[in-house]
Amino acid sequence: MAFLSLENVSKSYSNGDETTTVLKDLSLTMDRGDMVMIMGPSGSGKTTLINAIGGIERPDQGRIVLDDIEVTSLDQRQLNEYRRNKVGFVFQFYNLIPTLTALENIMLALEGRKKGREEMRNKASDQLELVGLDGKQDRFPQELSAGEQQRVALARAMVKEPDLILADEPTGNLDESTETMVLRIFTKVREELGTTFIVVSHNQRLRDYMDRCYELRKGKLVSI
Amino acid sequence: MTLTVRMSLRRLRSRKLSLVLSSFIIAWAMAMLVAGMLSSQVLEVSSTAYLDDLGMPDMFVSLSEGRPIEEVEDALSSSAIDTYDLRLRANGRATIGGAEVAVVLIGTSQPVNGEINRLTLLEGRSFAAAEESVMVAGSKTPMGSLEVTVNGLPLELNIVGKVRSAEFLINELETGSIVPGSGGMSVIYLPLTTLQTVLGQVVNDISMMIDDVQSRQEVEAALFPLPVSSMTYREDHQTSVIIQMGVDKFKVMLPTISIVFIFIGLISIFITMYRLVLSDSRNIGMLMSLGIDRWRIASSYLAIAGVILVLGGTLGVLMAYGFTAMISQMALDMMGQIPFVMPFAPLPFLTGLLVIVTAVITAVLVPVALVLRQSVNDALRYVPRTKVWTFGRATLTLASSLGLRNLFREPKRAAVVLMAIGLSIGAAGSWVLMVDSTQTYFDEQMSAQRWDVRITFNAPLDSDQAINDFSYGPANTTVPFVTLNGVASSDRASVGASVLAASDIEEVRTFELRRGSLDFEGAVLAKKIAEELKVGPGERITLNLGGRTETLLVTGEVNDLQTNAIYTSNASVMALLGEGLCQGVFVVLDDPAHTADYVSVLAGDPMVGGIELKEDVRLSLSNMYEGAISMLYAFFALNLLIALAVAVLATIISTAERDVEFTALASLGLPRSFIWRSLAVEVGTQATISAMLSIPFAFFLAKVFATMMEEAVFYIPIILSIATTVTVVVIGWMFVWPSIIWPIRWFRRLDLVRTLRERSSR
Ligand SMILES: Nc1ncnc2c1ncn2[C@@H]1O[C@H](COP(=O)(O)OP(=O)(O)OP(=O)(O)O)[C@@H](O)[C@H]1O
Ligand SMILES: [Mg+2]
C-alpha cells in the first residue's frame, strides 16, 4: 500500500455562470520518503492540489489517502487534527505570527501535544539550530530577513516531525544561496526522519534534489 | 458617483459591523443629548399643563388659627385677587388596622369643578352628603367608613372616592417642605360645613388665583389683618419645587453624560477610520501618483462620514424619542401620573444633529489628513507595522503571551481603546456612585437630627406651657419651635422661604457650616436660598408673612436638604407669630427605644395635631429620594452596552487585521482551545484593565454630576465605597467579555483557502 495515494481527484470552481475545472481525475501515488516536485504554469492548480492533500481544501470528487487515513472523508475537527499531526506546511509567504519570537513560532506547532514546556522549548531550539538560526531565537519575524523568516517557517513545519511536508514555492522569495540551504535541510530531514516532501516550484534548479518531477497540465499530473 | 467615492464606499462592505457599531455609538450620544434637553421640556410642559388643569393656586396661605368667613372675605376684597377658595384644615388621627395614623382633613366647598384646587377623581365619586369625603391617592386610609378624632372630638366619615390634587401631588410632603414627613400623609377632603361642626364656623386655609406677579405685594398687604402662619407662592410650593428639581436633574445630567458618549463615539470612529485609511495607504498613494488631488481623495472618504451620519442620525432621532418618552414617562409617573405632553421642539434635535455632524466629520477627516500628509512614495511603500511588547516571556504560556501581545500590539491604540471602554463603564458606574453617595449622604443628614419625636399643635401654644406639658416620662429635652412659610427678601432678590425658629435649635439637630457662624440670634441660611437672595453673613434679610415683616441679620450659611430653609431663634420671629407662642415641640428622649411609650400617652390629646417619629422620617426620606435617583438606574446601566460596543469594535478592528495569523494558526492544525485561550487572555485583560480604569472615571464623572446638581438641587459629597468599587468593576468586567464572541465566530468561519490566496496576491 502506498504512503500517499490520490485517486481520480477533481476540483472545479464556479464563478457565477463560469466553471473552471482545476483538477480533473488526478491520480498520484507516493511512497514514504519520496521527494516530489510539482511544476506548472500560473493558474494551473498547484496550490489547489497541495491544499487538497493538506486538508485545507476539499476536492469535489476522488479519494486522498495518507498513511491509511482517508483525508477526503474527515470532518472539520478531524482535519484539524490531521493537519496538526500528519502534515507540515511551508508557504511562499512564511505566515509567521508577528507577535511571537522565532522560537515561539516554532513552539507553536507543538501546542496541543502532551509535552512539557521545557521539552517543547528544547525541541524548538534544536530545530532552530538545524536551520542555522541559533542565536536568533528571541527575534521577532520583522527583525529577520526574508530567508531567515522562511527558515523559521521550515523549522515550524518540521518540528512536529510530520510524515509529509507540503511546500508551496518555498524558495520563491529567496536568493540562490539561501535556496540551496533550504533544499539541503529538506534532504537532511528526509534522510534522518524519512519525511515525504511535495514541493511546488517554478525553479528548474530544484530538480536536482528531487526523486521525481511532475507538471500539472489540464488538471492532470504529467511526469517530466 | 465619482470613482474615488465608489472606491471608499466599497471598502465599507467588509466593515459593515464596525460601521453599524460606530453609528450606534454616535446615535446613542445624540439620543442622550437630545433626550436631556427634550425630556426637561416635556416635564416642564406636561407638569405645567397638568397643574393648570388642576387649578393649582397661585398662592397658598395658612392661618395660625381659624377665623370667621366674613372676616377673611373682608381681607380678600383686593381687586388683585381673581378667585379664592376658603377652606378649613385640621390634623386628625384615625386608628387603622390597630395603628394610629395621622390624617389631614381639609374642608372645602368646591370639590371637583371649582376654578381652583380642582380634585381629579381616580376612583369612586365625589362627596355629596355631609358625612361623605374623598381621600388623596396614596393615603393609608381605606375606602369606606372611618372614625377620625379631631381636637379630641370624634368625626364619622364615609370615604367614597379617591382623588388626585395638585397640592398633594406627592403626598409625603407638607406645604413648603421638600423633606418628607413620616410616611405618606393621609389627606381627606370633606364638605367644609362638616368639619365646621367640630371646629366651629371658621376657616384657616386660603388658596388664591392672583392677577399677576406685580400685584403680589398688594395681596400680601391685604392679608395683614389675618394671623398668617404660612404664605407660599405657587413656584415655592413643594409640588413645583419637586417638579423643578426633576427637570433640572435631566437638564444637567443627560447632556453631561452625552458629552462623554460623543467623545467615545469620536474615538471609535477615529480608530476605525484610521485603520481603514492606513490599510488604504497604498491605494491612496496610487491615486496621488495618478495626479488626483488630495482634496478629492479626502472628500471621497466623506462619503463614509455621510453613511455613518445617515445611519447614526436616523437611529439617534428614534432613540432620542424613545429615551425621552421613557424618561419622561417614568418621571411623570413618579410625580403622580401626570399625563405626558410632547411639545413641538425641533431645537434639541437640531442641536444634537449639529453636534454629531461636527464630531463624525472630524473623526473621519483627521485620520485621512494624517495619511494624505505623507509623500506619494511613503504612501505607496506603506507596510503595516507591528510593535511587539514583550513581557513575562519565561513564565507565561504561549497562548497567554500571544493574547497579551496582541492586545498591546499597537500600544497607542490599545491605550485609547482601554480608555474608551473604561470611560463607558465609568459613565455607568458614576451613577452607581451617585446613588450610593446619596444614600450615605441622606443617612448622615438624618443622623444630624437629634430629636426623636416631633409634635405639631392644632393651634399655637405658649412655649413655657408646651415645655411643661410635653416633658413627661422618657422626655429628656423639649424644644418648642415655630415653622413659617413666607417670603424672604434681600436688596437684590426675594424668594419663598421655610423658616424654622426654635429657642435652642442645636439641641435638636447639628449643622454643617459653610460660612459665618451658627449664631441663631440672627438667621442661618441654607446654601441655596442664600445664593438666590445673594446674601452672606453680615447682611440683612426681611421675612414677610401676610404683610407682617421681620428683619434678620444673616449670620451663617449651612448645607441643608431643605434648600430654602432659614434657621433662627424663637425670639426673632415673635412679631410674625405672636410673643411666646410656638407651633410644636421637638422632643429628645433619654433613649430612642422609649419612643413608643412616649407617644402612647399623646393619643387623644386634643392639642396634638401631628406626631412624627424620626425613624419614620428617615425611612420616607430615603424612599423618596432614592426612588427619584434610582429611577434612572436601569437606564444608566444600559450605558454598559456602549462599553460592550466599543470593546466589540476594538476587537473587530484588531482581529480583522490578523486574518493571516489566524490562518497560519489554523494551517498548523492547532487545537481550537489554543485559539480560545489566547483570545480569552486578550479579551479578559482588556476587560480587567478597562474595568479598573472605569473607577477613576466614575469618580470624576460623579464629582462633575454632583457639582452640576449642586446648582439645581443640593450638593452630594461623592464617596467611593469598597462595595461600589467592586460592583462597578465586576459588572463592567462582565460586560466587556461578550466581545470575545465576535473573534471566535470569525475564526470559525474563517475561509482558510481564501485568506491564503489573498495573502499570496498581495
Ligand atoms: N476561489 C476561487 N474561485 C474561482 N476560481 C479559483 C478560486 N481559487 C482558485 N481559482 C482558480 O483556480 C485555478 C488554480 O489556482 P491555483 O492557485 O491552484 O493555481 P497555481 O497553480 O497555484 O498558480 P500560481 O502558480 O500562480 O500560484 C486558477 O485559475 C484560479 O483562478
Ligand atoms: Mg499557487
Side-chain angles (χ1 to χ4, degrees):
Chain A
M1 186 69 192
F3 173 64
L4 169 70
S5 74
L6 280 76
E7 295 165 23
N8 306 323
V9 173
S10 296
K11 172 83 187 175
S12 53
Y13 295 106
S14 55
N15 231 342
D17 317 327
E18 238 180 291
T19 310
T20 330
T21 304
V22 183
L23 306 177
K24 200 173 166 192
D25 283 338
L26 184 145
S27 297
L28 172 72
T29 49
M30 285 175 73
D31 289 325
R32 195 180 279 276
D34 274 357
M35 192 182 245
V36 158
M37 173 163 166
I38 294 174
M39 303 180 78
S42 177
S44 56
K46 303 181 296 291
T47 302
T48 311
L49 176 62
I50 283 228
N51 284 350
I53 299 172
I56 285 184
E57 206 161 359
R58 256 178 221 286
D60 304 331
Q61 272 165 25
R63 262 162 47 100
I64 300 174
V65 182
L66 183 118
D67 202 9
D68 292 336
I69 299 168
E70 187 170 343
V71 182
T72 31
S73 60
L74 299 181
D75 64 19
Q76 275 306 324
R77 180 177 286 275
Q78 291 167 327
L79 274 179
N80 204 40
E81 210 169 294
Y82 166 73
R83 285 198 297 267
R84 176 157 80 235
N85 298 323
K86 288 288 179 187
V87 294
F89 275 96
V90 183
F91 303 100
Q92 181 178 357
F93 295 91
Y94 341 122
N95 289 345
L96 297 178
I97 307 292
T99 42
L100 295 181
T101 61
L103 187 73
E104 288 167 339
N105 260 288
I106 299 169
M107 285 165 69
L108 197 58
L110 296 172
E111 274 290 327
R113 301 200 167 181
K114 307 231 169 325
K115 285 208 165 84
R117 252 183 90 74
E118 267 323 296
E119 199 185 338
M120 269 167 71
R121 180 177 289 277
N122 291 337
K123 249 186 113 113
S125 186
D126 291 348
Q127 204 60 228
L128 207 58
E129 209 180 306
L130 179 73
V131 297
L133 285 177
D134 35 333
K136 298 197 169 160
Q137 52 171 12
D138 288 339
R139 300 265 193 98
F140 284 94
Q142 59 266 50
E143 297 162 350
L144 295 170
S145 76
E148 288 166 341
Q149 287 187 50
Q150 184 61 303
R151 281 186 274 158
V152 175
L154 276 180
R156 188 176 68 183
M158 293 181 309
V159 70
K160 49 187 180 177
E161 298 172 5
D163 295 325
L164 175 66
I165 285 189
L166 298 166
D168 195 351
E169 306 195 30
T171 59
N173 277 354
L174 305 181
D175 62 38
E176 238 176 81
S177 65
T178 324
E179 185 184 284
T180 312
M181 169 154 197
V182 166
L183 282 159
R184 288 224 182 94
I185 297 166
F186 279 5
T187 319
K188 193 173 163 205
V189 168
R190 177 169 73 148
E191 272 161 19
E192 283 176 8
L193 300 170
T195 311
T196 311
F197 282 82
I198 301 180
V199 182
V200 166
S201 180
H202 294 289
N203 195 334
Q204 291 289 344
R205 274 181 295 110
L206 264 58
R207 289 188 70 156
D208 304 344
Y209 297 86
M210 302 292 157
D211 298 328
R212 268 170 292 152
C213 193
Y214 295 98
E215 180 167 345
L216 194 55
R217 217 180 274 161
K218 291 186 181 155
K220 291 197 162 68
L221 284 175
V222 182
S223 198
I224 51 171
Chain B
M1 200 185 280
T2 68
L3 271 178
T4 45
V5 169
R6 220 179 290 168
M7 179 188 108
S8 63
L9 284 183
R10 276 201 195 135
R11 303 282 285 115
L12 292 183
R13 262 191 226 154
S14 54
R15 293 181 150 79
K16 272 180 247 137
L17 187 56
S18 311
L19 199 71
V20 169
L21 285 172
S22 304
S23 309
F24 173 69
I25 297 172
I26 273 297
W28 189 283
M30 173 182 164
M32 285 281 203
L33 181 64
V34 176
M37 294 189 282
L38 192 60
S39 52
S40 55
Q41 280 187 27
V42 171
L43 292 188
E44 243 157 3
V45 171
S46 305
S47 54
T48 310
Y50 187 61
L51 294 184
D52 285 345
D53 201 46
L54 285 177
M56 170 93 166
D58 290 328
M59 189 179 190
F60 297 83
V61 175
S62 315
L63 306 182
S64 57
E65 54 198 25
R67 286 296 153 100
I69 291 189
E70 305 75 48
E71 191 187 328
V72 176
E73 280 183 334
D74 274 353
L76 298 182
S77 59
S78 159
S79 61
I81 301 171
D82 265 355
T83 43
Y84 54 80
D85 180 18
L86 300 184
R87 308 188 296 185
L88 182 55
R89 183 176 166 148
N91 292 313
R93 271 174 295 146
T95 311
I96 296 162
E100 180 125 319
V101 170
V103 182
V104 175
L105 294 169
I106 298 179
T108 172
S109 45
Q110 42 180 340
V112 179
N113 35 26
E115 280 178 67
I116 190 166
N117 281 330
R118 266 187 299 273
L119 303 176
T120 320
L121 259 180
L122 296 177
E123 216 183 295
R125 56 181 176 81
S126 182
F127 52 83
E131 78 287 354
E132 285 179 350
S133 62
V134 293
M135 65 174 173
V136 163
S139 297
K140 285 180 183 155
T141 46
M143 299 279 272
S145 62
L146 180 77
E147 191 188 287
V148 184
T149 316
V150 189
N151 272 13
L153 300 169
L155 185 62
E156 290 291 338
L157 293 176
N158 182 20
I159 301 179
V160 295
K162 192 187 278 183
V163 297
R164 183 169 340 275
S165 87
E167 60 185 332
F168 291 105
L169 211 51
I170 298 151
N171 68 351
E172 267 97 353
L173 299 180
E174 301 199 43
T175 309
S177 166
I178 55 168
V179 178
S182 46
M185 275 196 288
S186 297
V187 181
I188 295 175
Y189 290 94
L190 69 169
L192 177 62
T193 43
T194 308
L195 194 53
Q196 284 178 333
T197 56
V198 190
L199 297 174
Q201 296 298 307
V202 290
V203 292
N204 63 3
D205 179 284
I206 311 163
S207 326
M208 286 177 259
M209 292 293 193
I210 300 174
D211 275 352
D212 47 43
V213 181
Q214 280 75 41
S215 33
R216 282 184 175 184
Q217 281 197 324
E218 194 183 325
V219 177
E220 285 168 18
L223 292 171
F224 187 75
L226 301 173
V228 176
S229 68
S230 158
M231 182 180 91
T232 308
Y233 286 108
R234 175 173 165 159
E235 68 270 17
D236 300 321
H237 189 270
Q238 74 274 13
T239 297
S240 311
V241 173
I242 288 286
I243 289 175
Q244 196 56 47
M245 273 164 64
V247 169
D248 288 343
K249 200 165 63 196
F250 293 119
K251 241 187 216 162
V252 167
M253 304 283 293
L254 295 183
T256 310
I257 206 159
S258 78
I259 293 172
V260 174
F261 287 108
I262 286 169
F263 181 66
I264 293 169
L266 211 95
I267 291 178
S268 320
I269 295 176
F270 185 93
I271 296 173
T272 315
M273 281 306 295
Y274 195 55
R275 189 67 236 159
L276 183 115
V277 181
L278 269 187
S279 57
D280 268 5
S281 265
R282 289 199 215 183
N283 292 343
I284 290 176
M286 185 266 295
L287 290 177
M288 289 198 289
S289 74
L290 290 177
I292 296 176
D293 98 74
R294 282 159 203 252
W295 174 241
R296 272 279 293 286
I297 301 173
S299 61
S300 76
Y301 284 95
L302 278 181
I304 297 178
V307 173
I308 295 178
L309 281 173
V310 169
L311 272 178
T314 316
L315 193 62
V317 169
L318 295 177
M319 276 163 66
Y321 259 109
F323 284 179
T324 307
M326 189 173 108
I327 296 169
S328 315
Q329 200 68 62
M330 278 161 79
L332 290 171
D333 271 1
M334 247 191 60
M335 294 192 286
Q337 288 163 20
I338 299 176
F340 180 90
V341 181
M342 185 64 133
F344 173 72
L347 195 66
F349 287 98
L350 291 178
T351 315
L353 283 173
L354 188 74
V355 170
I356 64 164
V357 166
T358 320
V360 171
I361 289 186
T362 315
V364 167
L365 280 190
V366 170
V368 175
L370 285 178
V371 171
L372 283 180
R373 232 179 28 186
Q374 305 177 35
S375 71
V376 177
N377 245 339
D378 288 344
L380 275 175
R381 260 194 258 131
Y382 172 80
V383 238
R385 276 265 162 68
T386 312
K387 287 199 193 81
V388 185
W389 281 11
T390 47
F391 31 79
R393 190 174 299 166
T395 48
L396 291 175
T397 65
L398 267 189
S400 309
S401 39
L402 192 62
L404 274 181
R405 289 179 202 166
N406 277 334
L407 180 60
F408 292 108
R409 63 197 290 164
E410 269 189 50
K412 266 188 223 154
R413 183 176 72 195
V416 170
V417 165
L418 289 172
M419 297 279 258
I421 304 176
L423 194 55
S424 340
I425 301 174
S430 66
W431 199 249
V432 184
L433 219 65
M434 286 287 287
V435 174
D436 185 52
S437 303
T438 308
Q439 195 180 350
T440 314
Y441 178 63
F442 284 160
D443 279 352
E444 268 169 21
Q445 286 292 308
M446 276 320 290
S447 59
Q449 308 285 339
R450 289 189 185 151
W451 55 272
D452 298 299
V453 182
R454 185 170 72 182
I455 302 166
T456 354
F457 305 146
N458 279 323
L461 201 67
D462 180 73
S463 295
D464 293 334
Q465 193 198 332
I467 295 176
N468 214 25
D469 286 359
F470 293 93
S471 303
Y472 59 84
N476 191 323
T477 319
T478 308
V479 178
F481 69 85
V482 173
T483 54
L484 301 166
N485 294 306
V487 174
S489 325
S490 69
D491 304 344
R492 282 148 282 200
S494 114
V495 290
S498 174
V499 182
L500 176 68
S503 49
D504 203 349
I505 280 192
E506 285 182 283
E507 287 282 334
V508 292
R509 61 162 291 179
T510 57
F511 291 91
E512 206 182 304
L513 188 68
R514 291 175 62 94
R515 285 203 289 165
S517 64
L518 291 177
D519 175 6
F520 295 97
E521 290 305 307
V524 175
L525 273 57
K527 181 205 162 235
K528 180 129 187 269
I529 191 172
E531 232 160 49
E532 282 173 351
L533 289 173
K534 303 189 182 72
V535 292
E539 292 177 89
R540 282 178 190 282
I541 55 167
T542 308
L543 289 178
N544 179 339
L545 195 64
R548 280 162 293 144
T549 59
E550 179 80 72
T551 301
L552 297 173
L553 177 72
V554 178
T555 49
E557 186 182 310
V558 292
N559 283 326
D560 206 272
L561 278 182
Q562 175 78 37
T563 51
N564 68 343
I566 296 178
Y567 298 96
T568 186
S569 63
N570 255 352
S572 331
V573 291
M574 262 177 206
L576 300 179
L577 189 73
E579 204 160 331
L581 294 180
C582 69
Q583 292 168 319
V585 285
F586 286 109
V587 183
V588 185
L589 301 177
D590 47 23
D591 181 347
H594 297 147
T595 306
D597 287 350
Y598 181 83
V599 171
S600 65
V601 182
L602 294 171
D605 187 328
M607 229 13 237
V608 173
I611 304 167
E612 279 179 288
L613 312 181
K614 179 172 153 185
E615 208 33 52
D616 290 353
V617 174
R618 178 208 292 282
L619 275 179
S620 47
L621 180 78
S622 57
N623 283 346
M624 183 172 152
Y625 284 98
E626 248 176 66
I629 209 153
S630 310
M631 186 181 76
L632 289 180
Y633 200 95
F635 177 77
F636 268 70
L638 280 178
N639 288 324
L640 287 168
L641 285 181
I642 291 294
L644 178 58
V646 177
V648 170
L649 202 64
T651 318
I652 288 176
I653 292 169
S654 75
T655 41
E657 68 197 25
R658 300 207 304 256
D659 51 354
V660 181
E661 291 164 51
F662 278 116
T663 309
L665 294 176
S667 74
L668 285 175
L670 283 180
R672 284 240 165 102
S673 67
F674 177 83
I675 310 278
W676 291 348
R677 265 183 291 140
S678 105
L679 284 174
V681 170
E682 184 175 351
V683 172
T685 312
Q686 175 162 291
T688 309
I689 298 181
S690 48
M692 304 283 237
L693 278 178
S694 75
I695 292 302
F697 283 128
F699 186 71
F700 174 74
L701 282 174
K703 274 261 191 231
V704 171
F705 291 148
T707 314
M708 300 194 74
M709 290 247 287
E710 186 178 10
E711 298 301 312
V713 198
F714 31 71
Y715 183 74
I716 294 166
I718 299 299
I719 330 144
L720 196 60
S721 73
I722 292 176
T724 319
T725 312
V726 171
T727 311
V728 172
V729 168
V730 169
I731 293 178
W733 188 81
M734 290 194 314
F735 261 81
V736 179
W737 265 103
S739 66
I740 200 174
I741 294 167
W742 199 83
I744 285 184
R745 246 182 41 156
W746 191 81
F747 179 68
R748 280 195 167 156
R749 289 190 189 168
L750 186 70
D751 187 340
L752 280 185
V753 183
R754 218 178 112 170
T755 344
L756 281 174
R757 276 182 201 285
E758 268 176 10
R759 171 64 160 206
S760 320
S761 69
R762 255 181 224 168

